[in-house]
Structures are given as structure tokens and as C-alpha cells.
Amino acid sequence: MTASPLFVPPYYSVIFTSLLPEHTKEYGETSDKIYELAQTQRGFLAMDSVRDAAGHGVTISYWRTEDDVIKFRKIAEHRHAQQSGRNTFYERYEVRVAKVEKEYAWRRKADGAGEYVKRGP
Amino acid sequence: MTASPLFVPPYYSVIFTSLLPEHTKEYGETSDKIYELAQTQRGFLAMDSVRDAAGHGVTISYWRTEDDVIKFRKIAEHRHAQQSGRNTFYERYEVRVAKVEKEYAWRRKADGAGEYVKRGP
């Protein structure tokens, strides 16, 4: 799943990189729950999530303000703790909170030509 | 490949999300060249890159300053243009430039216990 529509900067992103030794059913259920929770939170914009066959994953969630990020982090951590996620699922993970200042996008149009879009300063 | 060591914020990230309909040899070669180029550039810190079987990819490069990002973007775009990358490889892509303000990490230690690290304000 990779949503990533365009928003108007500035806004916030949470970059979650991880190594998952084994993709269990429990992990999938916890991930799904956190994604569902995120979507109901104030300031949620979108989420991009990709994991490869070796277990390397990147999930980026986008939020309107830093305050929205802080609120969601508390909820996600609580959920992870409930599921003992941190100690069970991952070999390692990193969380980075980053303010998106500029964005650009390119799309292939129906006629095959490209369309280039820029947002922000 | 997911490197993502810990740095001390603030620093910059370039979040590149894309959909690649087909993983060709030419694409692999161009990607490798851009990664090699990045590593030689001033201010380069690290890169995380993951693509799944459906062609959804996220590549995040980390840089010391915004100026380093701008310089690298020009080089990467030039290389992509040389390879007609934008028009050949991708169905769509987004580029976001984001300032990393905080970061946290968790590692599983040799004894199986976890270690939690925080950097930044």
C-alpha cells in the first residue's frame, strides 16, 4: 500500500524503518490495527508502507501538525506495548519525526506523457 | 538494504516514494549509480531503500544540511534525465524534503533484551 497524495507543506511525517525477522499473523493484525487507529486520529493525512521479502520495511505517516504526531505516537506505542510488539516482532527499528518543507510529484497521464507538480515554497 | 544509523537531529531527509511497473536491468543500474553518486556527495549520511513485489518503493536519503539536499537533487535529476528515467521507469513518484527534528531507535541486544535510544531535543 502506498497512498502518498500531495499535501501543501509544511506538515509532519513520521518515518518508521524496521527489520522484521518473521511476518507473523499477529504482526499483521497489530499493523492493521495501528493503521486503522491512525486514520481516525486528528491531523492524519496519509500513510505509505512498504516491506520487502527480506523483512526490511519503511512506513511513513503524514500529519498536519507536530502536536498530532505526538498524540498518535502515544497511542501507537501504547498499542505496541499491549501487544508486546517492540519486544516480539522487530529485530530493530528507528522512528524519525520530520517536518516536510517541500514536495514534488510526477504522474504518468492517460496519454503516456508525464505531469510534474510542485508544492510548498 | 536498510542502513539508517542514528544521527543527531536536526538534519535533512529526502523521501522518495514511487511505483515501478517493471524492475528492469536498466532501472537497477541507474538506481545503483545514483546511490553510488550520493555516497560521494558532501553531507551524505545514509540511505534506506525498500521495494516490494508489487513495485511500490520508498527510498529515503539522509543529509547533513538542506544545501546538501539541493546539490544532490540536481545531480540525481540530471542522471535520471540522462537515462530518461522519469519517463521510462516510473508510473508515478513523489519527492519530499523533510527536516528530521527527533529520532528514536530500538535494538535487540545479543542477550535478547531491547535497548532504547533517543536523539535530538
Side-chain angles (χ1 to χ4, degrees):
Chain A
M1 173 262 314
T2 303
S4 55
L6 281 171
F7 307 111
V8 181
Y11 58 89
Y12 272 78
S13 61
V14 180
I15 304 168
F16 180 78
T17 49
S18 63
L19 176 57
L20 187 71
E22 194 188 358
H23 197 297
T24 60
K25 191 178 163 220
E26 287 72 21
Y27 174 76
E29 286 170 357
T30 304
S31 286
D32 289 350
K33 273 181 203 155
I34 290 174
Y35 179 60
E36 283 166 25
L37 263 173
Q39 289 180 296
T40 66
Q41 297 305 302
R42 195 191 67 194
F44 175 80
L45 297 174
M47 197 177 275
D48 284 321
S49 191
V50 174
R51 189 170 300 279
D52 68 16
H56 290 116
V58 180
T59 298
I60 309 170
S61 57
Y62 306 100
W63 302 86
R64 185 53 64 199
T65 70
E66 187 178 9
D67 190 48
D68 297 332
V69 167
I70 292 166
K71 286 205 169 76
F72 176 65
R73 268 189 55 95
K74 282 181 190 156
I75 292 168
E77 281 180 1
H78 178 63
R79 177 62 61 138
H80 259 291
Q82 279 181 326
Q83 306 278 340
S84 305
R86 191 154 87 195
N87 296 310
T88 310
F89 297 135
Y90 298 108
E91 189 62 30
R92 58 165 192 66
Y93 68 72
E94 298 82 31
V95 180
R96 292 177 166 92
V97 179
K99 185 181 186 179
V100 179
E101 297 177 347
K102 292 178 195 167
E103 73 173 61
Y104 314 80
W106 185 87
R107 296 277 179 277
R108 190 183 299 282
K109 294 189 290 184
D111 64 3
E115 187 177 28
Y116 196 57
V117 187
K118 184 181 180 229
R119 295 273 178 97
Chain B
M1 176 261 311
T2 305
S4 54
L6 282 170
F7 308 108
V8 181
Y11 58 89
Y12 272 78
S13 61
V14 180
I15 304 168
F16 180 79
T17 48
S18 64
L19 176 57
L20 187 70
E22 195 187 357
H23 197 297
T24 61
K25 191 178 163 223
E26 287 71 22
Y27 174 77
E29 286 169 359
T30 304
S31 285
D32 289 349
K33 273 181 202 154
I34 290 174
Y35 179 59
E36 283 166 25
L37 264 172
Q39 290 180 295
T40 67
Q41 297 306 301
R42 195 191 67 196
F44 175 81
L45 297 173
M47 197 178 274
D48 284 322
S49 192
V50 174
R51 190 171 299 280
D52 67 18
H56 290 115
V58 180
T59 297
I60 309 171
S61 56
Y62 306 100
W63 301 86
R64 183 54 62 200
T65 69
E66 188 178 11
D67 191 48
D68 298 331
V69 167
I70 292 165
K71 286 205 170 74
F72 175 65
R73 269 189 55 98
K74 283 181 189 156
I75 291 167
E77 280 179 2
H78 177 64
R79 177 63 61 142
H80 258 292
Q82 278 180 327
Q83 306 278 341
S84 302
R86 191 153 88 193
N87 296 309
T88 309
F89 298 135
Y90 298 108
E91 189 62 30
R92 58 167 190 67
Y93 67 72
E94 298 83 31
V95 179
R96 292 178 165 93
V97 179
K99 184 181 187 180
V100 179
E101 297 177 348
K102 291 179 195 167
E103 72 173 60
Y104 315 79
W106 185 88
R107 298 278 178 276
R108 190 182 299 281
K109 294 190 291 183
D111 64 3
E115 187 177 27
Y116 196 57
V117 187
K118 184 182 178 223
R119 294 274 177 95

